[in-house]
Amino acid sequence: MDQLSAISEDLAEIDGHIADNFRALSNGFQKLEKIKDSNRQTRQLEDLTEKLRECKRLIKEFDKEVKTLENSFDRETNKMLNEKKQSMIKELNSYVGLKKQYATNIENKRIELFEGPNEGYTEENGLLASSMTNEQLMDHGNRMMDETDQAIERGKKVVQDTINVGTDTAAALKAQTEQMSRVVNELDSIHFSMKKASKLVKEIGCY
């Protein structure tokens, strides 16, 4: 960061924010690893998704600033800045891959999937980042984030459907319980009436 400060205070500031977000992501995924409850995992993953979006925005801002200043830098400085940017993109994509993996695991825990895992995912992640342009790396990360967001939404829908089923079941059980209570009360009333009638019959028989 000191090297960047000597080049541009704005670039150094953006780099600092990106580094803070990457640290938060690292800590967040470590925390996610220890969470066992699926609902809490989903909430944690949503928080991490917001940090990923913020990182993506900051990297774009860094790239824009580099392009604005590149004419005032020498060749070596521009090379260093581009390598710095590529390093950021690769680190972002590594966290996007982690996010997708956790989202898939959470979804698999909640529902029985009728289709196999994404076969192209392993091959896609196996691509050497060095062979991809910055635009391809960003597109790759964006696509993975979109797919993960969809997986999270499907998982949230399953949770909501489960809650709705539970609510309907509870309401049905409550109605059945109230009905059984009424039946018991009616049986008690019938039993009382029969005892009273039996007593009257005995008294009449004594006359």
Side-chain angles (χ1 to χ4, degrees):
M1 187 168 174
D2 292 338
Q3 186 179 10
L4 279 177
S5 297
I7 298 172
S8 167
E9 289 293 335
D10 290 338
L11 285 175
E13 182 179 356
I14 297 170
D15 179 58
H17 290 318
I18 292 172
D20 289 342
N21 272 277
F22 280 150
R23 278 193 295 272
L25 284 167
S26 177
N27 293 333
F29 277 109
Q30 289 177 18
K31 179 180 177 182
L32 182 61
E33 180 69 27
K34 299 175 183 178
I35 298 174
K36 302 303 179 184
D37 179 70
S38 295
N39 293 334
R40 289 181 57 205
Q41 284 180 336
T42 298
R43 288 193 293 272
Q44 177 70 4
L45 206 57
E46 288 172 347
D47 291 340
L48 292 171
T49 299
E50 289 305 313
K51 293 190 184 302
L52 285 169
R53 289 195 179 104
E54 177 63 11
C55 275
K56 184 175 70 172
R57 184 190 68 78
L58 287 167
I59 291 173
K60 286 183 176 180
E61 187 177 333
F62 185 90
D63 182 45
K64 182 179 178 181
E65 187 68 17
V66 167
K67 289 178 179 177
T68 301
L69 299 173
E70 64 183 355
N71 290 333
S72 59
F73 298 145
D74 58 33
R75 182 177 178 182
E76 287 302 314
T77 300
N78 282 322
K79 180 181 177 183
M80 182 273 290
L81 291 173
N82 280 321
E83 288 175 351
K84 179 76 174 174
K85 180 179 63 178
Q86 270 202 339
S87 175
M88 292 173 179
I89 294 171
K90 290 174 185 177
E91 187 167 358
L92 174 64
N93 280 341
S94 71
Y95 285 120
V96 170
L98 266 179
K99 176 195 164 189
K100 180 169 184 177
Q101 178 183 338
Y102 276 106
T104 301
N105 290 342
I106 291 170
E107 188 177 10
N108 286 343
K109 287 179 183 178
R110 286 182 176 151
I111 56 176
E112 292 183 6
L113 296 178
F114 294 99
E115 55 186 32
N118 188 347
E119 296 177 356
Y121 176 60
T122 303
E123 295 179 2
E124 192 174 21
N125 280 331
L127 290 174
L128 290 175
S130 58
S131 67
M132 302 171 71
T133 65
N134 291 339
E135 288 76 13
Q136 288 173 328
L137 285 167
M138 290 296 287
D139 288 343
H140 175 65
N142 292 341
R143 187 169 63 255
M144 292 175 70
M145 288 181 70
D146 289 341
E147 290 173 357
T148 307
D149 287 342
Q150 292 171 9
I152 291 175
E153 288 303 317
R154 289 196 298 271
K156 287 168 68 176
K157 185 177 184 301
V158 171
V159 172
Q160 189 58 51
D161 289 345
T162 303
I163 292 173
N164 291 340
V165 170
T167 301
D168 293 343
T169 302
L173 287 173
K174 182 180 179 182
Q176 290 176 1
T177 301
E178 291 174 350
Q179 184 179 11
M180 289 177 65
S181 179
R182 288 195 298 270
V183 170
V184 170
N185 290 337
E186 290 172 1
L187 288 173
D188 287 342
S189 177
I190 292 171
H191 181 65
F192 176 77
S193 297
M194 289 179 67
K195 285 180 66 177
K196 187 175 181 181
S198 177
K199 183 178 180 182
L200 286 172
V201 168
K202 287 180 180 179
E203 289 176 356
I204 290 171
C206 291
Y207 289 105

